[in-house]
Amino acid sequence: MIKKKSFTVDELKRKLENYCVYQDRCHKEVEQKMHEYKLIPEAREMILLSLMKDNFLNEERFAKSFARGKFKIKSWGKQRIVRELKFRDISAYNIKTALKEIDEKEYVQTIYRITENRNEVISESDIYKRKQKLIGFLMRKGFESELIYKVVAEVVA
């Protein structure tokens, strides 16, 4: 059996600071990481407060960078971003703030771009089935249904 190395509270604090510096994290991720080290509640609370005080852990910053990244890199729609942020226990206020990071014009351009790209790779000749496939794809990406129907109608004409 492998014995897990034990750390002092200061060592763990440094480890978690590095964990937060590498990439913006939410409270839930940090708490899961601390859970792996089986800390007593007092130490856990102390480290969490210290990380927030020293700005290693900032929920608003996390939400903003998450929304920007998932939109720019993965072309996710707002609904998918909101769902993922809620899953990470981000507050409604921070979710609202995060969505402001997405430029409306860029958002519409993105849905057109990915719809046109996807339309080119769908081999379906039946126009209704083609539209259904596009709608399903865009729904999974997390775009709003009114916007999806409008864009699909224009792209598949």
Side-chain angles (χ1 to χ4, degrees), residues 75-83 107 111 114 135-145 148:
S75 302
W76 281 6
K78 289 178 183 175
Q79 290 181 328
R80 173 98 185 252
I81 292 169
V82 167
R83 192 168 56 241
Y107 189 70
I111 189 173
I114 65 176
I135 289 166
F137 170 73
L138 293 168
M139 287 282 192
R140 286 189 300 280
K141 280 280 196 186
F143 288 94
E144 299 80 353
S145 43
I148 291 174

Side-chain angles (χ1 to χ4, degrees), residues 32 34 46 54 106 130:
Q32 284 170 339
M34 281 197 279
M46 194 185 87
D54 299 335
E106 206 178 324
R130 176 181 285 270

